[in-house]
Amino acid sequence: TFPEHLAQLRKEAGLTQKDVAAEGGALILLGCATGLVVALAAAVGISWRGYQNYELGLREPGLSTLVGLADFYGLSVDALICHEPKPRG
């Protein structure tokens, strides 16, 4: 599922949910030694709570957030959301 895949991608990048936070438009780095956190927050402009809600399946991200997440993780949006097109015909 998308929430499980999002959590897996984050963990593979060595990040925790609390590593990313956006407060009042300012980025806050919480206990992470890499620049990935800042890149993720800047790419998608989401709060820690927002990201957590996506992983828990409580909310679904909008298109611009999906594109930002896909770009950050180097995936297509289809791959990010685990979508496999149905064959036509």
Side-chain angles (χ1 to χ4, degrees):
T1 67
F2 170 70
E4 292 168 341
H5 191 223
L6 191 61
Q8 176 188 351
L9 290 168
R10 177 186 49 76
K11 290 173 186 175
E12 288 173 0
L15 305 174
T16 68
Q17 289 177 339
K18 288 189 177 182
D19 284 333
V20 180
E23 183 176 297
L27 298 178
I28 300 170
L29 185 59
L30 302 172
C32 183
T34 71
L36 290 174
V37 172
V38 173
L40 177 59
V44 297
I46 57 175
S47 67
W48 160 69
R49 182 68 66 195
Y51 193 88
Q52 182 183 49
N53 286 337
Y54 300 150
E55 282 194 10
L56 294 173
L58 300 175
R59 294 196 60 184
E60 294 182 356
L63 182 57
S64 62
T65 301
L66 285 172
V67 170
L69 289 167
D71 286 347
F72 178 79
Y73 288 119
L75 300 170
S76 68
V77 173
D78 278 354
L80 179 69
I81 64 172
C82 306
H83 173 73
E84 294 184 24
K86 296 178 184 174
R88 295 182 184 218

